Amino acid sequence: MNCDVLNKFGELFKSSPSFYAYSPGRVDLMGSHTDYNHGYVVTMPVDLQIECAFSANDSDDILTLYSCNFDTIVKVNVKTGQQVEGDDWGKYVSAVVKVVLDEGKQVKAFNGAFCSTVPVGSGLSSSAALEAAVIAILGQVSGFEIDKKNSALLTQKAENKYVGVNCGILDQYSVIFGEKHKVIKLDCRELNHSQVSWPKDVMVAICNTIKPRQLHGSEYDDRRADCEKAVAVIAQDHKNITHLRDVNIELFNEYKDKMPANVAKRAQFIIEENDRTHELEQALTKNDKALLKDVFHRSFVGARDLFEISNKEMNAMYEAMSTATGVVASRQAGAGFGGCMASLVYKDQLEDFKKDVFNKYKELTGIECEIYGVHTAKGTHIEAIEN
Ligand code: GLA
């Protein structure tokens, strides 16, 4: 445990917990905004994670969950899914209970206390990690099993329908299907994945701009809408095209002048970004450092100039990351609009990289950033606690 979850559980519930649930964050290494375009994403579950101690609560219908990070409790009625007490983060818990109830399952209550090392609202799927933990815990205490694919789809639905964020499948799939020692290439249409090979001398460093990102009611929905508009233009002549995944750059070039300028820019980015997921896979397989750098660079430039999801902090961070000791390649991560970014770094130079990024970013923005060297982690799972 990374903090005092066990003691806190004892203090709050006057008993010892029966289980731990673990649920990782994720970082995407290529494929920004390709998920809702039915494309590919190279993604990695990371060892920044939620750890939750819990036990079934057989005495009433109220689920009680404590967050060490916020030092607050939320309570949710498991018969209705309504949050009856507590903070804003309870909406994720309530949303998951509601989608499980919608499936016609009998849901039982639990008591839990969790700590998370996934920075909140920074593009590393802190909310998906919590949603995935909650659905796993509900299954454990209520005695039903939902397979990984349906857990991913249901937690995505919880986020779309009850939290009100129109996200794709990337976050929930990554945290639920994560496996230690595996970076995966996710096919967001087929909902399956393959492992990509990984160079021995390189690791991932996540650089947090400390500029929180807010998806709700943000430009995220506008980007989605622009992608759909681009598809609609091409689909007038090509009925089989339903998503930008189906459009190659030649076809796009035939139609781009029929699209509003912004729509064409967004579509171009997605089509190229989707192609870059294949390029990245090859670059990783060959351990071709020059290609890694170039693919990441083109991804960032496209995100900045075509998809327009960068901001001045991200631009400064890109400069800091790209010029730091030990860097191989750098780009955005998550939805953009602030939050975290990702670099590939020589393993034996991580500390120098961190120092350089910290200093340069501070010089450029005045902000003291956080940098995490991360490793792959096992996806959401539960372990019994031996007493
Ligand atoms: C957020 C969303 C994901 C995905 C990414 C961008 O993390 O939750 O579904 O769209 O942005 O790739």
Side-chain angles (χ1 to χ4, degrees), residues 26 28 31-36 41 123-125 156 159 165-172 213 215 220 224 333-336:
R26 69 94 191 88
D28 52 304
S32 292
H33 294 255
T34 49
D35 63 346
Y36 53 81
V41 192
L124 299 182
S125 297
Q156 181 201 15
E159 183 98 23
V165 174
N166 204 13
C167 64
I169 193 68
L170 167 65
D171 305 350
Q172 290 78 13
R213 167 217 56 122
L215 281 192
Y220 185 86
R224 268 193 93 132

Side-chain angles (χ1 to χ4, degrees), residues 18-221:
S18 311
F19 301 96
Y20 284 135
Y22 297 94
S23 197
R26 69 94 191 88
V27 65
D28 52 304
L29 300 177
M30 196 58 64
S32 292
H33 294 255
T34 49
D35 63 346
Y36 53 81
N37 288 295
H38 277 196
Y40 294 89
V41 192
V42 177
T43 172
M44 165 179 167
V46 294
D47 54 352
L48 298 169
Q49 62 178 357
I50 285 182
E51 299 178 356
C52 180
F54 70 96
S55 286
N57 166 13
D58 297 323
S59 56
D60 61 29
D61 291 335
I62 303 298
L63 166 175
T64 303
L65 188 57
Y66 168 79
S67 160
C68 290
N69 303 79
F70 293 105
D71 193 18
T72 51
I73 280 181
V74 303
K75 294 189 180 208
V76 172
N77 183 319
V78 295
K79 291 288 171 265
T80 63
Q82 290 307 318
Q83 181 171 346
V84 291
E85 199 180 308
D87 250 19
D88 187 53
W89 61 266
K91 66 186 177 210
Y92 299 108
V93 183
S94 149
V96 173
V97 173
K98 285 180 182 164
V99 289
V100 174
L101 289 172
D102 288 349
E103 292 295 290
K105 307 262 187 229
Q106 291 284 331
V107 180
K108 294 198 175 149
F110 66 86
N111 295 326
F114 76 91
C115 249
S116 176
T117 50
V118 189
V120 173
S122 300
L124 299 182
S125 297
S126 52
S127 52
L130 178 57
E131 290 156 357
V134 171
I135 203 164
I137 295 171
L138 291 177
Q140 176 71 43
V141 299
S142 314
F144 57 76
E145 230 175 273
I146 302 178
D147 66 21
K148 285 185 182 182
K149 192 165 161 180
N150 281 313
S151 294
L153 287 167
L154 284 176
T155 46
Q156 181 201 15
K157 185 170 162 204
E159 183 98 23
N160 294 163
K161 185 169 171 192
Y162 293 115
V163 178
V165 174
N166 204 13
C167 64
I169 193 68
L170 167 65
D171 305 350
Q172 290 78 13
Y173 191 102
S174 304
V175 310
I176 290 171
F177 279 89
E179 280 182 60
K180 200 140 177 67
H181 307 305
K182 283 194 185 173
V183 174
I184 64 171
K185 187 177 175 197
L186 162 63
D187 180 335
C188 300
R189 169 168 283 164
E190 301 302 328
L191 288 187
N192 57 29
H193 66 268
S194 55
Q195 184 179 358
V196 300
S197 69
W198 191 260
K200 283 203 171 47
D201 52 347
V202 166
M203 65 180 289
V204 174
I206 294 175
C207 303
N208 190 344
T209 61
I210 317 286
K211 178 84 187 166
R213 167 217 56 122
Q214 181 60 267
L215 281 192
H216 193 66
S218 78
E219 295 186 81
Y220 185 86
D221 289 342

